[in-house]
Amino acid sequence: MAAGSDYTASIGVAHHRDIGGFASPASDDDSGGFQEKHVEAVKSPESVQESGEPKLQRKLKGRQMGMIAIGGTIGTGLFIGSGSTLADAGPAGALIAFLVMGSMVFFVCTSLGEMSTFIPTSDPFNHFATRFLDPSLGFAFGWNYWYSWMLTVGSELVACGIIVQYWLPHLTGAIWSVIALAIMFLLNAVSVRGYGEAEFWMSALKVLAVFVFVIVGILTVAGATGGEAIGGRNWHIEGAPFKDHIVGILKACIVAAFSMQGTEIVGITVGECANPRREVPRVIRSVFWRILFFYIASILIIGLVIPNDDPNLVSASGAGDVAISPFTMVFQAAGAAWAAHLMNAVVLVTVLSAGNSGLYACTRVLWVLAREGKAPRVLRRVTRRGVPFWALVFTSLWSAVVFCISLAGNQSVY
């Protein structure tokens, strides 16, 4: 521990004036204590903030973080966009693309988990860029990350309107988008516990949908659903198992990477986890099994059941194409006529979950930027429930602006 403490202290001293550089933990207990350079020892990771500073509250429970890690990243990229990987690369090429990107995500999450466990501060992970590299990089990283998720929230609002129109085509989608924004705002404004509980149940629904899909897919491949056994027949047709070789795999990697975005949100929740030293390692260890089951198993089932030359695979690309998503096609192959309605409901929950998580991530990153003097100071204010309210309002307004731009022409902006 002595060598590690000296090393960490030497890294932290360069930036301790900006972010209060810390040495390594004073002990290995769950209190998460640190020893700050040239400042008296403290006992809580929340003492990253100066005395009197507003603080986030560590109220995220282990079960909430676990479900956020397992199902938080399952979104429209997997439910709808994954079919294009089969069309671009063939069944084996798509499988390799998801294996490659899954490996990268696993290593990134493992590294993030180690840093977040060793230094479980109340700041999101953009704090590490400032501390270990350079404040300017932390500034650029924080604002770019906020900008990316702010645009994502806006796109999810557009998607909500399109999805509900599947059932109610005569009503304008803008109404449902406004309702969706109000729901996301309220879930984040109440408390971090409200966000965590909402994400727990929405993630649970997505996990259940994928689990049922895999079971139904296996039964369909084996012919147990009443049809002919498919087996590995679709791996021997034209364009299979590989299509366009390395070019097809690289194209599929882009979609696979999009499907797995959001995994890093676990690193943001660390600052509000009740016991990061215990929960973060447990959550990060689940990433491997999540990738193996939810992504790899799903792509394998899709490649076995659906021919890679099916024209619907190329057509399905957005939230409005749920009727021809690969998940819907597999359920229909099993004889489920109601598959489109089921998947539309699941995708609606998925979009709300993605917007909810995006708003949460934007708010916390913006709050840290304000605390570090890289954003207006008013954005650092926190309610008595531990919610950065003005950062939440600021992000919501900009997401609403982005959504209003899309009204210039439905699906012409997104």
Side-chain angles (χ1 to χ4, degrees), residues 56 60 153 180-199 202 265 268-269 272 352-364 382-383 385-393 395-396:
L56 302 180
L60 277 180
V153 174
L181 178 59
I183 293 173
M184 296 173 192
F185 182 87
L186 290 175
L187 289 175
N188 279 272
V190 173
S191 68
V192 68
R193 184 177 296 172
Y195 159 78
E197 200 64 26
E199 277 301 299
M202 287 190 284
I265 288 182
I268 296 180
T269 61
E272 293 170 277
L352 287 173
S353 174
N356 189 40
S357 294
L359 205 55
Y360 172 84
C362 283
T363 300
R364 269 56 184 181
V382 175
T383 67
R385 293 180 177 269
V387 177
F389 183 76
W390 292 113
L392 176 61
V393 171
T395 302
S396 300

Side-chain angles (χ1 to χ4, degrees), residues 315-330:
S315 301
S317 59
D321 299 320
V322 66
I324 51 176
S325 80
F327 276 64
T328 302
M329 294 164 66
V330 170

Side-chain angles (χ1 to χ4, degrees), residues 145-159 184 258 261 351 354-359 362 399 402 414:
Y145 188 78
W146 175 87
Y147 179 73
S148 172
W149 269 111
M150 183 273 295
L151 291 178
T152 299
V153 174
S155 68
E156 302 299 350
L157 295 177
V158 176
M184 296 173 192
F258 170 74
Q261 72 168 350
V351 167
N356 189 40
S357 294
L359 205 55
C362 283
S399 295
V402 170
Y414 291 104

Side-chain angles (χ1 to χ4, degrees), residues 298-322:
S298 295
I299 293 300
L300 179 61
I301 293 297
I302 291 172
L304 288 172
V305 176
I306 306 174
N308 68 282
D309 56 357
D310 191 308
N312 285 334
L313 293 176
V314 180
S315 301
S317 59
D321 299 320
V322 66

Side-chain angles (χ1 to χ4, degrees), residues 154-168:
S155 68
E156 302 299 350
L157 295 177
V158 176
C160 281
I162 297 172
I163 292 170
V164 177
Q165 281 185 313
Y166 180 84
W167 291 308
L168 302 170

